[in-house]
Amino acid sequence: MQGGDADEFIDYMNDGEASVRHRGYVYRFSGLKYHPGRDTYSVSVEKYRFTREPFEEFMELVYNYESDDPDDVLDHLAEDILWDGKSFYELEKALTWIDW
């Protein structure tokens, strides 16, 4: 991963959201979110067109996972297919961690 370490990026999901750039798009990782009414945790990934204004052109939700176990959520984020038929660690070499 350009701009940071892939494992550090996944760990960062405990503290907040982060974004990566890939093939002219920005993917916004929501970070680990707690939903008190359901007593669950979730993480999602949204795809945006790379523009001058952050998150101006939403394209689609590419990933969402929810569980009552926060570690399970982060494990799935690392192992599930996210986009282009690949998991996070299969994509990570082509991703650039950005502050957008």
Side-chain angles (χ1 to χ4, degrees):
M1 170 176 269
Q2 298 173 24
D5 178 75
D7 291 328
E8 183 182 328
F9 184 89
I10 293 292
D11 289 343
Y12 189 80
M13 294 295 101
N14 283 306
D15 298 323
E17 63 183 44
S19 299
V20 298
R21 186 171 174 191
H22 177 63
R23 293 187 178 174
Y25 296 101
V26 173
Y27 294 86
R28 181 182 192 180
F29 289 69
S30 68
L32 190 63
K33 304 283 186 193
Y34 178 65
H35 307 283
R38 296 190 306 264
D39 194 29
T40 60
Y41 297 84
S42 71
V43 69
S44 62
V45 181
E46 299 172 337
K47 181 179 179 180
Y48 293 84
R49 218 176 281 287
F50 187 70
T51 60
R52 292 182 189 180
E53 293 297 321
F55 313 117
E56 181 178 55
E57 289 190 43
F58 173 78
M59 299 200 56
E60 64 182 311
L61 177 68
V62 296
Y63 181 77
N64 187 58
Y65 185 78
E66 185 172 321
S67 172
D68 60 354
D69 180 358
D71 291 331
D72 180 52
V73 173
L74 294 177
D75 288 346
H76 272 269
L77 177 64
E79 297 169 9
D80 288 354
I81 301 302
L82 299 183
W83 64 84
D84 291 346
K86 297 180 179 179
S87 70
F88 178 80
Y89 285 108
E90 291 171 320
L91 286 165
E92 67 98 3
K93 290 178 183 159
L95 302 178
T96 302
W97 188 351
I98 60 172
D99 184 21
W100 194 46

